Structure formats: C-alpha cells, structure tokens
Amino acid sequence: MGTWDDGPFDNDSAADWCGDLHEADPSVRAAMVRAALATAALSTDYLDHDDAASAIAAAAIVASQMPGGDPITSPYAPDFLLAGESLDLDDLSQLAVEALDRVLGDDSEWRSLWGEAGASEFPQINKLRAVLSGPPELPGQIALL
C-alpha cells in the first residue's frame, strides 16, 4: 500500500478506484460511488483498507458537490471531475457519513494502519463528515419535509 499524504485521494487504493471511476461509462459512475460507500457502510467484518480508501474517495466526491464542500483538485481524483463534470449524488450524503463512521471504527484496517503511524485524529475525514452531515439544526428550527 502506498500512501503519500492524508487527503482522500492520496493513496494507491483511492487513486486506482478513481481511475476505474473515470474510465467507467458515465451512466454507471453514480452507482460506483454508491457501491463504494455501501461496501464500507454495510460491512460487518473487518473493513479492508482498499474498501475504506475507496469509500473515503467516494465520500469526498459526494462532499465536493454539497454546500461547503471543497472542490476536487487532486491530480489523483477522476479526471472528469477535474474537468468540471459532476455526478448526481444528492441522495448519498447519509450513506457517505455511515461509510466514514465505519472507516473510523474499531474494526477498520484503515484506522489501524493510521493508528500504527501515530495518527489519533483525522481532520480530513472529520471535515468531510461535517460537510456531508449538513449544517446543524438551530434550536426551534422547523425541518421542512
């Protein structure tokens, strides 16, 4: 496993997944993002590093298209996103939060490896999670259905 920074695309697994996403037919790209998130979120076994890295990249893509999300600028992200294209991922924010929670859980190889490297806080993941969760409700705020 090669990791060169702590960004969502800064490892071999995420970069490979992003390459596959870029090469995929545009009609299946949103389903690929959903599948990467679901694989992590719904896993009941020890979460493999590759699956976690793909889920983090997918969550970053979802977050990039939400208010407050950072634009995709990494050269390891899918080229079509760097060129300004987008995906319809509006319904994936909750699944992305669940995937990130699973990545940070105790049964995650990704977390274990970062822990061995001395990391105990994950600001990149926490920022993605905050964007995906949306703005906090204010006291007395009425939710619109």
Side-chain angles (χ1 to χ4, degrees):
M1 164 191 70
T3 300
W4 48 90
D5 207 348
D6 66 349
F9 306 106
D10 296 339
N11 61 79
D12 288 336
S13 299
D16 289 346
W17 180 82
C18 287
D20 292 344
L21 184 65
H22 175 75
E23 292 173 7
D25 186 278
S27 66
V28 300
R29 288 175 176 159
M32 289 177 68
V33 172
R34 179 184 298 278
L37 295 171
T39 296
L42 304 176
S43 173
T44 57
D45 296 325
Y46 192 70
L47 183 62
D48 179 76
H49 174 272
D50 292 338
D51 292 335
S54 298
I56 294 167
I61 291 169
V62 174
S64 74
Q65 298 185 38
M66 297 183 65
D70 289 335
I72 301 291
T73 59
S74 171
Y76 305 103
D79 290 339
F80 72 93
L81 292 172
L82 292 170
E85 293 180 48
S86 64
L87 294 170
D88 182 14
L89 305 172
D90 291 340
D91 64 334
L92 294 182
S93 60
Q94 183 58 40
L95 183 61
V97 168
E98 292 169 16
L100 293 177
D101 287 348
R102 183 67 179 86
V103 166
L104 292 179
D106 292 334
D107 287 338
S108 167
E109 184 180 23
W110 184 93
R111 178 167 179 123
S112 177
L113 290 170
W114 277 99
E116 289 173 10
S120 61
E121 296 184 22
F122 306 97
Q124 295 276 359
I125 302 293
N126 292 331
K127 182 175 181 183
L128 288 175
R129 194 181 186 294
V131 169
L132 292 162
S133 297
E137 274 190 38
L138 300 174
Q141 184 178 15
I142 299 173
L144 300 175
L145 301 176

